[in-house]
Every structure is written in structure tokens, then in C-alpha cells.
Amino acid sequence: METLQRFSLRLLPISLAEKCLNPYTHGVPRAVTLAPLSRFARMSISKPEFLSSNPKSTFHNSFSSSLTAKAGWFLGLGEKKKTSFPDIVKAGDPVLHEPAREVDPEEIGSERIQKIIDDMIKAMRMAPGVGLAAPQIGVPLRIIVLEDTKEYIRYAPKEETKAQDRRPFDLLVILNPKLEKKSNRTAFFFEGCLSVDGFRAVVERYLDVEVTGLSRYGQPIKVNASGWQARILQHECDHLDGTLYVDKMVPRTFRTIENLDLPLAEGCPNLGAR
């Protein structure tokens, strides 16, 4: 358990500098797990942005990648051309700190709601992240999207993903989600958030949860999740109640990414399952 304190355990996947988007068609959802539904899907990449789990290396590469991405508009793409996906709203914006409202089931099939869902998927994948809630793009509606892929997971240390019980799952789109714990088992791990960029903190989460809601087609959906997927679901559902992970973090564990590998303060819980 002591070695777990040195892990770079985080909710966000390893960033991918060469990440691109491909056209993808809408498919018919399965009963529980939805296949990728966005018109945009990633191309496979030859090299990840981060090759080291060293937080200082991660910070440096992330910063360089950000500059490279911003400079991309000078590579024959036109001056100050705007991206086609929304910006991620940052902590402090009221939309992140107030409860979101439910989506009217009669509006789920509307062009407006479907565009919001597509925008969320694009923003999540471009960040990249493994989950996103509608308030994070400035929309106060109870919609979440989440996805964790083999591509993301293979760049994390196997020892780390095993401790997190992190396994890939297909894209999930859930409207008006309701979350219930299915056991009292919990785990302490570092989390991050696209809306609190550059920081991490330890959060205790339930290891087994059930989420019910509606699919993007208005069909009932139920997801039984454990391990890291359960953590992602809790993190995203918290967003819908105006709660950020820093509102639930273990005191004295908040830190910058570059200090992620430093030991926890005396008295802080060891990382891992309880």
C-alpha cells in the first residue's frame, strides 16, 4: 500500500498529442452499454504525448503540447480559426456550483439536445478526458458522457491500473442519471478534473454503484459499475449537483500535477481500496 502513494493515480487519462477526430455514424444502442454514438471518433495514434509517469515530465509535455495545439492554426488552417467544439468551463463559473436541471424526456430527440450531446463527446475526447458533464460546457442540464479506452489505459502503468481496477468501457451517454451505491466498499485515489486543470487531490469513492437514466434516444438505461468506472460515474454525477471533487477531497492532499509523486502528509489515508 505504501507504494500506491507514489502512483500518479488520476481520473483523467494520459493526454494524447496526436489525437484526431474521424467521422462516425450513430448506431443503435445496446440495452446497457452504448456503443460510440458521436459522429466523431479518434484515429489510432503512433505515440502518446506522455511517455513518463513522472509528474514533472507530464507537466512539461502538457504545456508544450498546449502551445503546439494553439500554434496549429498557423499550419495552413487559417488565421484565428475557431474550433468546432465548446471550451471547458473552469472552476468559479456559477454553472459548475449550482444544481443542473433535468432534461424533459420529450426534448431528448430534439436537434438542440442531440447537438449538446455531440458537443460534449467531442470536448471530452479532444481534452482528452474519460468523462464530462453538461455543466462543464456551460449547459445546466443533467447529462453526462463517459468513456475509457484501451488506448488510454495502455499508457498508464499496469501496476496503477490494477490498483484502480480500471478497465475499458464503451461510450456511455446518460440523461437524468440517478446513482445509488451497491456496497459500502470504498477506495482512496487521486482525482483530477478538466474544470480544475493542473491539480489533483485524494477523494474517497464507493467501489460499486448502479446508475439509471435515459439514453440519448430516450430509452431506459441501467449501468452497474465497479472500480474506476464507478469512480468516474460518481465524479460526473457530482457535477450535476454543483459539486466538484475539491468539495469532497481529503484535507491536505490537494496538489499540483508536478508534485503528484510527493508523499502524502502524515495522517492522510493510504491510497487504495478499504
Side-chain angles (χ1 to χ4, degrees):
M1 193 64 66
E2 188 174 318
T3 59
L4 289 177
Q5 293 187 356
R6 298 197 297 272
F7 287 160
S8 300
L9 301 176
R10 54 192 179 275
L11 186 63
L12 304 178
I14 295 176
S15 297
L16 310 174
E18 297 85 358
K19 185 177 181 61
C20 300
L21 298 176
N22 266 342
Y24 200 96
T25 56
H26 292 294
V28 178
R30 299 195 293 275
V32 176
T33 303
L34 301 181
L37 300 173
S38 171
R39 292 172 298 165
F40 299 84
R42 288 176 304 281
M43 295 176 62
S44 60
I45 63 168
S46 58
K47 181 180 178 182
E49 179 179 312
F50 301 149
L51 297 178
S52 168
S53 60
N54 184 322
K56 295 184 179 181
S57 173
T58 296
F59 177 80
H60 172 75
N61 289 336
S62 177
F63 182 70
S64 299
S65 174
S66 176
L67 292 179
T68 301
K70 291 177 180 177
W73 298 118
F74 294 99
L75 305 178
L77 298 178
E79 272 188 23
K80 298 182 181 178
K81 184 176 179 181
K82 291 196 68 175
T83 55
S84 60
F85 54 91
D87 292 333
I88 302 294
V89 174
K90 302 302 181 182
D93 192 303
V95 73
L96 291 176
H97 303 283
E98 298 171 357
R101 65 177 184 272
E102 290 202 345
V103 180
D104 184 340
E106 294 184 0
E107 292 185 24
I108 291 178
S110 68
E111 183 178 349
R112 182 177 76 94
I113 297 299
Q114 292 300 310
K115 184 179 186 306
I116 290 171
I117 293 170
D118 283 340
D119 284 348
M120 290 175 63
I121 295 169
K122 287 187 286 183
M124 174 184 69
R125 288 174 170 172
M126 281 297 293
V130 294
L132 196 75
Q136 290 182 275
I137 61 167
V139 178
L141 292 176
R142 300 186 77 83
I143 307 173
I144 62 173
V145 299
L146 55 153
E147 174 183 57
D148 203 1
T149 68
K150 291 180 180 178
E151 181 183 57
Y152 288 160
I153 295 172
R154 81 178 169 185
Y155 293 117
K158 288 183 180 180
E159 192 179 20
E160 178 177 312
T161 56
K162 182 179 179 181
Q164 296 169 334
D165 187 18
R166 183 178 175 186
R167 288 158 280 130
F169 58 87
D170 291 335
L171 175 68
L172 283 168
V173 178
I174 310 176
L175 291 81
N176 303 335
K178 291 179 173 55
L179 184 146
E180 292 183 15
K181 67 174 184 176
K182 301 303 288 183
S183 77
N184 290 322
R185 297 191 310 139
T186 65
F188 290 88
F189 285 116
F190 276 106
E191 282 186 22
C193 181
L194 296 175
S195 294
V196 191
D197 203 21
F199 297 92
R200 300 287 185 270
V202 174
V203 181
E204 183 179 18
R205 299 281 189 188
Y206 290 109
L207 283 171
D208 307 285
V209 301
E210 179 180 276
V211 176
T212 56
L214 300 173
S215 74
R216 71 177 300 164
Y217 300 106
Q219 300 169 337
I221 181 174
K222 180 168 71 173
V223 179
N224 286 294
S226 60
W228 204 247
Q229 184 183 22
R231 178 172 291 267
I232 297 170
L233 282 163
Q234 290 168 84
H235 180 106
E236 301 309 331
C237 286
D238 277 352
H239 273 299
L240 304 183
D241 294 328
T243 301
L244 300 180
Y245 81 92
V246 292
D247 298 319
K248 290 188 168 184
M249 67 183 179
V250 175
R252 298 181 296 157
T253 64
F254 186 69
R255 59 191 55 202
T256 62
I257 290 177
E258 52 191 339
N259 286 338
L260 192 57
D261 282 351
L262 297 181
L264 291 170
E266 186 176 350
C268 289
N270 291 328
L271 301 185
R274 289 293 172 269

